[in-house]
Structure formats: structure tokens, C-alpha cells
Amino acid sequence: MAAELYELSNGTITVKMTNFGATITSLLVPDANGNLADVVLGFDTVEPYQKGHSPYFGCIVGRVANRIKDGKFALNGVEYSLYINNPPNSLHGGKIGFDKVLWEVTEYNNNMFPSITFQYQSKDGEEGYPGDLSVTAKYSLPSSTSLKLEMEAVPLNKATPVNLAQHTYWNLAGHNSGNILDHTIQIQASHLTPVDKNLIPTGEIMPVSGTCFDFTTEKKIGSRIHELQVGYDHNYVLDCGEERSGLKHAAKVKDPSSSRVLDLWTDAPGMQFYTGNYVDGIVGKGSAVYGKHAALCLETQGFPNAINQPNFPSVVVQPGEKHKHTMLFEFSTD
């Protein structure tokens, strides 16, 4: 099985993906005048992803997204040790997470109802995690202006933590247009999970009111980012507000220069808001150079280190149970 590029298009938006990491590599979206721009960071070919040049651009991360403290957890009386790829923690599944493997394409339609389904069989002991896990990720274009991702994982023989996340880096002005500090964002969350110096949640649920983390109303991303050492990289506790077909509204992002708007809907409890703080001169599509804050990530997820935090929603899935995580990206213009 080789890494290949696939395309879904409905005449309005066009998305390119690869089965390496079930990764979105390109996403063309019109502005108010119908001008198309590619609004995600990435590479023109599959090779840079395979060579490890990508800081998780556009991929699906797992078996467990985000950080696990000291790369350790206990489950059903057994201690598990994971690869420490983000010292002192294990991040996004370890050394070879789901973003660095080939997924099988089990369904691909680029017709009236464009969709593609990727499947991956994660083995017992892979990256230190318990049990065999069957994972699918289906991308589809359910309307002319929306992209949907449905992720599912079923443990076959042992209980295991599962936290699948989609790690696209967004810049609604276009991937090569500079930083996103002028974008505005509204996050439907009145609390977040504060972290220690190693970016592991302390376990408390903190109100964002009156802090630089408060995006309960629409604010410019750059307005108070200077109050943080490097930028935003925090898990927001999503409120149960407005719902649509079982999904809650997580965030609304706007780019003033193009008037493009992205609304994200999800059924996950949390969302990592990340402002590309560690992107540093990466040469991407069309030789564009991506610098710090060149994009933002909206990674809906279970809470970081939840496997070691009893008061966080559990990420443990039992054999035969199904972990489901759906995201809906809706594009419009302001």
C-alpha cells in the first residue's frame, strides 16, 4: 500500500487528502467574491509528511491526542509506558502515532455525495497502548459549503484510552498569507483546563471570564496574545449551547481580509485552541514559508491527560464499545 493523494469536490469547495495519516493537505474555499484560497497549511506532495517535516499538519492524531503525563498510565491494574516524544510527556500517540501510518481507503466517491473513508488497524502494544483497535475516519462534503469528519474506534480485546483528534492548521486568508493574529474567534466555552509548566492540566476547571483566555464573545486573536509566553495552546471546556444534529457549536473564526468564516460543530467535550506557536520557517505548498502564528488549530478532543485525571470525562473505551467523534466545518462569508 502506497501513500497517495485523493480529492473530494462539490463545485464550491475542494479538499485534497492523503491516506498517510488520513491527512487533509489542501482545502480550497471561496471568499465573498468567489475567489478561491487554500485555507490549510501543508505540503504539495506526500513526501514531506513521510519524512517527518510536518508538525501534525492536517492529520488525525491518536491513539490518544494531546499529552499524557510522563508517558504513563494505569488501567485495570496494569501499568503502561509510552514513548516520550514531547519530554517529559507522550504527545499525540507517541513516536509513530496515527498521523505517521498508512491508512487503507475502504470507500471513495467523488460523485454527487463526495466522501472517502480511511481505516486503520492499530495492534495490541503499538506505541505501548493495550489491545487491538479498529479505527475509521470518514470525510464527506454533506453540503456545498461544509466538510464533515466522522471518526470511530472500536477496541477488539482490551480496554484502552482513545482520543482521536483532527489537527488541521487553518488560515482563512490563505495558507501563504502571513499570521492569523487579525482573525477573530469566538469559542463556546466559559471554562478551560489550566496547565502546569509541562503543559499538563492541573485538574482544575477554570473560568475564563476576565482573562486573556476569554473568547466567549468574538475577539481578535492577537488582542491579548502578548500576555502569554508563546501563545495559545489550551484545552477549552465546551459549553452545551446551540446544537445541530447532535453536535454543539464549538467555535466561529473570521478573517477580516477575505470575509471568510469557519464555524466548527462537534460532539467532543473539549477543544485545544492552538496558535501555531512552534511553527518556525517551515517551507510548505508553493514554497510558502510558514512562521510563528501562521495558522490556528481547533482540535476538538477529550481532555488532555484524562487517563490520569479522575475528575475529567473518561477516555477509556471497553472492548465492543464504540468511540465516536464527529466534526462539522461550515464555511461562509461575513
Side-chain angles (χ1 to χ4, degrees):
M1 188 165 57
E4 294 183 40
L5 285 167
Y6 301 85
E7 182 177 293
L8 301 178
S9 185
N10 59 15
T12 305
I13 58 179
T14 301
V15 56
K16 284 185 183 162
M17 286 153 297
T18 172
N19 55 324
F20 186 79
T23 299
I24 294 173
T25 64
S26 165
L27 181 52
L28 297 174
V29 178
D31 66 9
N33 301 316
N35 299 312
L36 293 173
D38 185 350
V39 296
V40 303
L41 270 52
F43 302 103
D44 288 313
T45 62
V46 177
E47 202 180 28
Y49 298 96
Q50 293 176 300
K51 286 187 168 169
H53 297 166
S54 171
Y56 303 100
F57 285 160
C59 59
I60 288 182
V61 290
R63 181 176 299 198
V64 176
N66 217 296
R67 293 172 179 85
I68 292 181
K69 184 180 182 180
D70 301 329
K72 286 186 169 43
F73 68 91
L75 186 58
N76 295 339
V78 182
E79 297 267 343
Y80 294 96
S81 289
L82 312 170
Y83 186 81
I84 307 292
N85 60 327
N86 184 246
N89 309 311
S90 185
L91 174 70
H92 290 332
K95 188 178 187 181
I96 303 175
F98 293 177
D99 62 300
K100 295 178 182 68
V101 296
L102 281 171
W103 296 53
E104 184 187 350
V105 176
T106 56
E107 170 266 349
Y108 178 39
N109 295 307
N110 202 6
N111 52 20
M112 291 266 297
F113 304 100
S115 68
I116 188 167
T117 303
F118 297 104
Q119 184 176 37
Y120 180 64
Q121 300 290 347
S122 178
K123 296 278 181 277
D124 182 19
E126 185 178 317
E127 286 299 322
Y129 288 98
D132 296 299
L133 186 72
S134 178
V135 189
T136 59
K138 178 182 181 179
Y139 290 97
S140 60
L141 303 178
S143 78
S144 63
T145 54
S146 62
L147 167 68
K148 189 178 195 180
L149 169 60
E150 296 161 279
M151 295 173 271
E152 293 188 354
V154 178
L156 303 182
N157 38 37
K158 289 181 189 170
T160 179
V162 181
N163 186 13
L164 304 174
Q166 216 293 342
H167 210 299
T168 289
Y169 284 70
W170 301 95
N171 186 323
L172 296 182
H175 74 103
N176 54 353
S177 66
N179 70 53
I180 44 77
L181 299 180
D182 277 342
H183 281 44
T184 62
I185 190 168
Q186 181 177 15
I187 301 175
Q188 305 291 336
S190 44
H191 296 81
L192 58 68
T193 53
V195 292
D196 65 17
K197 67 180 193 307
N198 294 323
L199 299 178
I200 293 292
T202 60
E204 69 180 304
I205 308 285
M206 181 189 96
V208 296
S209 181
T211 71
C212 61
F213 300 107
D214 188 348
F215 292 101
T216 50
T217 56
E218 187 183 317
K219 288 191 183 73
K220 197 178 275 201
I221 291 172
S223 58
R224 294 180 70 177
I225 200 168
H226 59 275
E227 296 177 35
L228 298 164
Q229 226 172 348
V230 288
Y232 294 95
D233 192 4
H234 297 79
N235 172 62
Y236 281 76
V237 179
L238 295 174
D239 297 333
C240 296
E242 189 189 351
E243 275 214 8
R244 183 178 305 174
S245 41
L247 304 179
K248 55 196 170 190
H249 195 197
K252 178 189 282 280
V253 182
K254 291 181 186 174
D255 163 49
S257 67
S258 67
S259 297
R260 285 189 191 90
V261 179
L262 167 60
D263 279 285
L264 171 57
W265 302 75
T266 186
D267 55 3
M271 184 186 79
Q272 193 82 5
F273 173 47
Y274 173 54
T275 47
N277 311 325
Y278 305 108
V279 178
D280 178 22
I282 296 171
V283 180
K285 289 175 280 194
S287 302
V289 178
Y290 304 141
K292 187 178 182 179
H293 307 317
L296 61 101
C297 299
L298 306 167
E299 307 154 57
T300 61
Q301 60 180 3
F303 295 178
N305 196 39
I307 188 68
N308 293 312
Q309 258 320 333
N311 64 316
F312 284 180
S314 175
V315 293
V316 175
V317 187
Q318 302 295 331
E321 287 183 355
K322 190 179 276 186
H323 165 85
K324 287 175 118 164
H325 178 188
T326 298
M327 305 173 79
L328 179 67
F329 305 93
E330 286 190 320
F331 302 95
S332 58
T333 52
D334 193 26

